[in-house]
């Protein structure tokens, strides 16, 4: 729903000028925190706003609220930032120019430009480390990386795709979350829930008729959370000379819950190879960075 709202508002904006007709394609989802669960029977209210435009991209802020229709109680469940690029309807490989938006203050434009440069740099760094593959492990020990790693194979059909015949970003995100959930459940053998998703980078478009392999592996555990790396590889299936390629990559964070919904301790991840130990330390760095940022935000909110 988040991705659909972002796609609608971006496509609408990009067609508001005098340029050629286009459809907005998802390029990146910034870190998303799942602030509160949404329960069966509640009403979801998704609102989207364009907060920055560059020459060829659109930043969209999306908020999700849940409403209990019996009590009328409302709460914010998700906040997300998404980046879109407009692709021409006549030539899907052509990125068209984005009409600029009007800012209330110059500071808004400056802050948006700073976010744009940061995500651009991060996308480049992520793409450079995307050569990894997940290989099967024979008779893995419990709580090792090989024990919980998982893959899912999906044939991209018409219902998965946009008007241009490429996969909806939201479809890919849902499949990635499923694989990450399987990895987390295999590791701790309990109820699990998504706590957050680090930046999801969409490196290449995925065409209708492709076979995609979504692979996930545990990279880091703290006392109460698990970081899982997920990436999507695409194999063009019909009449395509292109070789298999890395299309999407991201890190998901899960927590373990009891049947009553209370947080449970997470079993420590047992790293075996030097590569696994390196990934663990990198994950630990991301965990500590996120923790420090969250504490700073809480202190700032307390002061206000």
């Amino acid at each position: 729903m988040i991705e659909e709202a972002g796609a609608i508002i971006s496509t609408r904006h990009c067609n508001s000028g005098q340029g050629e007709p286009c459809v907005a394609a998802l390029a990146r989802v910034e870190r998303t925190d799942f602030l509160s669960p949404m329960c069966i029977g509640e009403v979801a209210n998704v609102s989207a706003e364009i907060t920055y435009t560059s020459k060829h991209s659109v930043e969209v802020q999306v908020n999700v609220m849940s409403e209990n229709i019996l009590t009328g109680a409302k709460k914010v469940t998700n906040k997300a930032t998404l980046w879109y690029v407009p692709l021409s309807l006549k030539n899907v490989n052509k990125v068209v120019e984005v009409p600029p938006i009007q800012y209330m203050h110059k500071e808004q434009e400056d802050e948006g430009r700073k976010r744009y440069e940061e995500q651009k740099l991060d996308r480049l760094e992520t793409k450079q480390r995307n050569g990894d593959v997940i290989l099967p492990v024979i008779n893995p020990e419990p709580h090792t990386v090989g024990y919980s790693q998982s893959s899912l194979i999906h044939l991209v059909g018409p219902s998965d795709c946009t008007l241009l015949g490429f996969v909806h970003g939201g479809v890919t995100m849902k499949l990635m979350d499923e694989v990450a959930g399987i990895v987390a459940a295999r590791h701790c053998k309990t109820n699990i829930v998504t706590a957050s998703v680090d930046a999801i980078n969409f490196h290449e478009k995925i065409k209708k008729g492709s076979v995609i392999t979504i692979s996930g592996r545990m990279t880091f555990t703290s006392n109460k959370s698990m970081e899982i790396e997920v990436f999507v590889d695409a194999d063009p299936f019909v009449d395509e000379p292109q070789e298999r390629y890395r299309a999407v990559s991201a890190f998901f964070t899960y927590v373990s819950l009891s049947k009553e919904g209370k947080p449970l301790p997470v079993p420590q991840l047992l790293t075996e190879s030097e590569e696994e130990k390196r990934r663990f330390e990198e994950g630990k760095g991301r965990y500590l960075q996120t923790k420090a940022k969250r504490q700073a935000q809480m202190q700032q909110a307390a002061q206000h």
Side-chain angles (χ1 to χ4, degrees), residues 15 24 33 39 88 100 133 137 152 176 181 226 237 266:
N15 286 283
D33 289 302
C39 302
S88 167
V133 292
V137 179
L152 183 154
M176 293 173 79
M226 301 161 272
F237 195 51
V266 171

Side-chain angles (χ1 to χ4, degrees), residues 234-272:
D235 283 301
F237 195 51
V238 182
D239 300 328
E240 290 284 347
Q242 191 176 357
E243 295 181 353
R244 182 178 177 134
Y245 60 93
R246 178 66 41 85
V248 193
S249 58
F251 290 99
F252 287 71
T253 300
Y254 273 76
V255 292
S256 173
L257 299 177
S258 67
K259 291 181 180 178
E260 293 75 35
K262 305 288 185 183
L264 290 174
V266 171
Q268 182 72 14
L269 179 66
L270 303 178
T271 54
E272 298 172 302

Side-chain angles (χ1 to χ4, degrees), residues 4 39 51 97 121 123 174:
E4 199 168 353
C39 302
T51 47
E97 289 195 17
L121 185 64
R123 277 173 59 79
K174 183 175 184 294

